Amino acid sequence: MAVESLAAGLPLLKRPAAVTVADPDRELAERFRDGDSAAFDILVRRHQKGMWRLIRRYVKSDADAADVTQLAFVRAFRGLAGFRGTATVRSWLYRIAINCALSWLRDHRREQPAEIGDDALIADNPAPAQLSAGDDRARLRAAIAQLPPKQKLVLELRVFDDLSFKEVADLADCSENTAKVNFHYAVKRLRDILGADHER
């Protein structure tokens, strides 16, 4: 009875409404599902460069990145009718790109790992000043390469692709909080690496 009287005095808590992310591409996805193939062309033009940069971080050459990007768009074309909308279209496309790049790596694992070019990391998306001021591209690239894989992925998606932590979490297959923690440790590790290099 004492528990019931205590509970009766507490205010009812309302469940917060689901947070929705504005997705500028959702209308294009819906138009494509309704038979407008030109909508997919717009999606390709809008995301081709970003997907290429993302894939280029995984594969050996620009030509391989172009091939894998094309494969990713073919898969997206085939799968867009089944897009459920649980993530943004960009996150969905980037997940396809990552999966295609990882498949390509599995198929080509005997080849040497990719040497990431400056243009794949920095062009059109300069790193924030706190990460790159005064550091040349080669040092930054070498420092990023030393990060553990999950931290590297989270950092690159957040900094170079300018994705939200929710989108990063979807692509890295982890919770949003885990993405934030990985990003924090990646930035801390980069500062340590670049600071140690600077002291030499």
Side-chain angles (χ1 to χ4, degrees), residues 2-199:
V3 173
E4 290 173 0
S5 63
L6 283 174
L10 294 175
L12 292 176
L13 298 176
K14 293 182 181 177
R15 181 172 287 177
V19 177
T20 56
V21 176
D23 185 358
D25 299 320
R26 191 165 306 269
E27 178 191 346
L28 292 171
E30 290 170 6
R31 282 177 35 201
F32 177 77
R33 282 195 298 245
D34 291 340
D36 181 2
S37 61
F40 189 78
D41 294 338
I42 296 169
L43 283 174
V44 169
R45 283 193 303 276
R46 192 175 283 178
H47 296 288
Q48 186 171 19
K49 196 173 193 178
M51 285 177 62
W52 181 88
R53 278 193 311 266
L54 176 63
I55 290 167
R56 180 62 179 89
R57 292 186 202 123
Y58 290 89
V59 302
K60 188 174 182 177
S61 70
D62 291 352
D64 290 337
D67 290 345
V68 176
T69 301
Q70 184 175 8
L71 175 63
F73 277 117
V74 168
R75 287 191 184 168
F77 183 85
R78 291 178 181 158
L80 191 55
F83 174 67
R84 294 187 313 264
T86 57
T88 64
V89 174
R90 179 171 75 164
S91 292
W92 180 76
L93 288 170
Y94 278 33
R95 170 49 55 198
I96 292 171
I98 289 170
N99 288 342
C100 287
L102 293 175
S103 292
W104 187 92
L105 285 175
R106 260 191 318 275
D107 294 344
H108 297 83
R109 72 175 136 227
R110 292 186 183 189
E111 297 177 16
Q112 289 188 331
E115 179 69 29
I116 300 173
D118 291 343
D119 57 339
L121 287 177
I122 310 248
D124 299 326
N125 280 320
Q130 65 266 32
L131 290 179
S132 64
D135 295 326
D136 64 1
R137 291 178 179 181
R139 285 186 53 227
L140 181 59
R141 191 173 59 243
I144 290 171
Q146 293 179 44
L147 294 174
K150 186 72 100 177
Q151 289 178 15
K152 180 180 180 222
L153 176 64
V154 167
L155 178 93
E156 289 176 340
L157 291 172
R158 180 75 177 134
V159 173
F160 299 121
D161 293 311
D162 197 29
L163 298 180
S164 70
F165 278 113
K166 181 180 181 346
E167 292 171 311
V168 170
D170 289 342
L171 294 173
D173 201 23
C174 64
S175 71
E176 190 171 341
N177 193 47
T178 300
K180 289 177 182 179
V181 169
N182 274 287
F183 181 78
H184 168 77
Y185 282 116
V187 170
K188 183 179 182 317
R189 179 79 177 126
L190 277 180
R191 286 182 180 145
D192 292 345
I193 293 168
L194 293 172
D197 286 350
H198 186 64
E199 292 172 3

